[in-house]
Amino acid sequence: MYRYEDIKEVHLEITEKCQAACPQCPRNLEGYDINPHLSMSELSLADCKNIFDPTFIAQLQHMFMCGNFGDPIIAHDTLEVFEYFRKYNSDALLSMHTNAGARKEEWWKELAKVLGSRGKVIFSVDGLEDTNHIYRQNVNWEIVERSMEAFINAGGRAKWAFIVFEHNEHQLKEAEAFSKKLGFEEFQLKKSDRFWNPKTHSRKTTHNIQPKKKQYPEQLKGTLKIPTAKEYQNQALDKVEQITEQYGSMKTYYDKTKINCKVLENNSIYISAEGLCLPCCWTASRMYRGFRAFKSEPIWNFIDAIGGKEKLNVVNNRLEDVMNNTKFFTDIKRSWSCSKLTGRVDTNNPGAEGKLDVCAEKCGADLDSFKGMFEK
């Protein structure tokens, strides 16, 4: 896909640990039981020094921490890893996405100092004191507010990212006004693309907050709902009916669609908390889908074809070697030209290969629900 020397951006997931239990996060099963496929892996400062040498860091334009499964504020060495990157690159943008519900004020003040003017924290806060916890379960509002104030007052640059649901849409103006009062540079509303049924390839209007076969106290039961206002809904998903009519089904669309790879455009790679190098967080997330049997996702066909996930491990292998000498990346790119969504890799029979499903779903040319989260 691209070579080690071409990389300009690193998406680093430093930990799979998190104190929250967000119902639409793949770390949880509907917000409660932990995804059984996760190992709660975490990268240390020593690991990161081993993976990223100073010369490589110097070539980067952006390094950001954001999790498929974890929150960087929970990792032990997050601050020290940012310090390491800043030491060898004073110009790169360093950023982090977080729920803000952990760490003492001094930690946030030090983070602001380390990141400096070429750094930013994106605070994922979906409401105010009376609503944020409905989605950000187990996140304490007092700690969130204290964290935001400490970081901004220490000179940190901050963005507030607000996912809109039915239960918080009435607070958008109040939350934006509060963000300005605190000193946020930007208030960004997000139109969730997770109200989607992956089995039927169709949109939905609600999402269950508790496993059907488990019993929890009444206060832990409920349903997430899409916003009532159309302007706060992900309008990219409106194209589903049009696409279905054009192609006959969403399955056929995924088979046929051209792939416009987002990370390829940005010369970006993803490093997981296990130390695995993959093209993006979407391909990585398919390795461990808690509601599916282990290794049932097509991404494993590509991983097994190279001899297993250890071949992608950049703690035990050099990042340069993994990127430049592993056919995993070229196999994925080659799959984009296939017209069947089987996700197979068959070196001896190229005609039997299939397009990787997650690439079609996330980077298909005619339906971009990720971009739709931010469109006004």
Side-chain angles (χ1 to χ4, degrees):
M1 294 178 72
Y2 34 51
R3 296 182 64 79
Y4 174 83
E5 54 267 27
D6 299 326
I7 298 304
K8 299 299 179 186
E9 180 179 86
V10 169
H11 177 177
L12 176 63
E13 176 156 25
I14 194 169
T15 186
E16 292 178 346
K17 301 172 186 176
C18 185
Q19 90 284 27
C22 304
Q24 292 179 316
C25 174
R27 185 177 185 274
N28 309 285
L29 303 181
E30 309 294 2
Y32 293 95
D33 292 343
I34 301 297
N35 182 332
H37 305 319
L38 299 183
S39 58
M40 296 299 106
S41 298
E42 182 170 306
L43 295 172
S44 66
L45 174 60
D47 291 330
C48 290
K49 286 183 175 181
N50 184 40
I51 297 169
F52 308 107
D53 68 45
T55 302
F56 177 77
I57 291 174
Q59 79 185 38
L60 298 177
Q61 297 175 353
H62 186 199
M63 187 279 276
F64 67 101
M65 295 188 191
C66 182
N68 275 330
F69 308 111
D71 192 303
I73 59 174
I74 303 301
H76 186 271
D77 291 342
T78 292
L79 184 60
E80 291 75 13
V81 170
F82 274 128
E83 287 178 323
Y84 175 63
F85 273 79
R86 183 56 81 211
K87 178 180 179 181
Y88 293 105
N89 193 325
S90 59
D91 296 324
L93 175 63
L94 302 181
S95 63
M96 178 180 81
H97 296 248
T98 178
N99 65 52
R103 296 290 186 175
K104 301 294 185 181
E105 290 178 73
E106 289 305 315
W107 188 91
W108 287 101
K109 292 176 182 178
E110 187 63 24
L111 178 64
K113 178 181 176 182
V114 170
L115 296 183
S117 62
R118 290 292 297 154
K120 181 176 290 188
V121 170
I122 298 87
F123 289 93
S124 299
V125 181
D126 311 315
L128 296 170
E129 184 173 8
D130 60 332
T131 56
N132 184 57
H133 63 279
I134 295 175
Y135 183 69
R136 302 285 167 181
Q137 295 182 121
N138 300 337
V139 176
N140 181 288
W141 177 262
E142 182 179 344
I143 298 175
V144 170
E145 189 171 343
R146 185 185 69 201
S147 301
M148 295 190 299
E149 288 182 338
F151 179 75
I152 294 171
N153 290 342
R157 301 174 57 211
K159 176 195 289 188
W160 184 323
F162 186 116
I163 302 175
V164 190
F165 299 97
E166 182 190 56
H167 66 259
N168 64 16
E169 63 184 310
H170 65 288
Q171 294 181 320
L172 275 167
K173 291 184 178 179
E174 184 180 357
E176 184 171 11
F178 184 51
S179 75
K180 292 178 180 178
K181 179 181 177 182
L182 291 177
F184 277 83
E185 291 184 353
E186 183 180 355
F187 182 85
Q188 180 182 64
L189 65 87
K190 295 175 66 175
K191 305 173 185 181
S192 177
D193 65 347
R194 293 186 177 180
F195 286 95
W196 180 257
N197 187 324
K199 296 180 180 179
T200 62
H201 301 295
S202 61
R203 63 194 308 177
K204 59 184 182 179
T205 59
T206 62
H207 187 92
N208 189 31
I209 301 186
Q210 74 153 60
K212 294 179 180 178
K213 297 181 181 180
K214 299 286 185 179
Q215 295 298 319
Y216 292 95
E218 284 298 324
Q219 64 267 28
L220 300 184
K221 299 179 180 180
T223 303
L224 291 175
K225 298 179 181 179
I226 63 171
T228 57
K230 183 71 174 178
E231 63 184 299
Y232 302 142
Q233 298 173 14
N234 191 317
Q235 296 179 31
L237 297 177
D238 290 344
K239 296 180 180 179
V240 170
E241 291 183 7
Q242 175 187 336
I243 290 173
T244 301
E245 182 177 347
Q246 178 181 350
Y247 288 89
S249 69
M250 285 301 296
K251 170 66 167 58
T252 303
Y253 161 71
Y254 291 139
D255 285 343
K256 304 295 185 182
T257 186
K258 177 184 176 183
I259 304 300
N260 295 327
C261 179
K262 295 178 176 64
V263 296
L264 193 58
E265 292 176 357
N266 296 332
N267 289 333
S268 178
I269 57 168
Y270 168 87
I271 306 296
S272 78
E274 289 184 278
L276 306 181
C277 178
L278 293 99
C280 65
C281 62
W282 292 304
T283 50
S285 70
R286 294 302 175 92
M287 292 176 64
Y288 306 121
R289 299 183 86 180
F291 60 89
R292 298 276 180 91
F294 185 54
K295 294 187 71 172
S296 62
E297 293 287 326
I299 185 65
W300 283 101
N301 293 331
F302 292 80
I303 295 172
D304 289 341
I306 62 169
K309 69 178 184 179
E310 280 307 305
K311 298 293 185 179
L312 301 175
N313 190 311
V314 290
V315 174
N316 300 329
N317 304 287
R318 294 174 67 240
L319 176 59
E320 183 174 5
D321 291 339
V322 169
M323 290 205 62
N324 290 353
N325 301 318
T326 306
K327 71 186 190 74
F328 175 77
F329 299 92
T330 54
D331 280 346
I332 289 177
K333 185 177 181 180
R334 189 155 52 93
S335 83
W336 299 343
S337 61
C338 299
S339 60
K340 293 292 183 180
L341 197 68
T342 60
R344 289 186 59 195
V345 179
D346 189 343
T347 304
N348 297 319
N349 186 10
E353 294 180 354
K355 183 181 293 166
L356 182 56
D357 61 340
V358 66
C359 297
E361 293 170 21
K362 297 300 182 181
C363 293
D366 297 333
L367 180 61
D368 192 341
S369 61
F370 177 77
K371 183 179 178 181
M373 289 197 295
F374 308 103
E375 289 181 331
K376 297 182 178 179

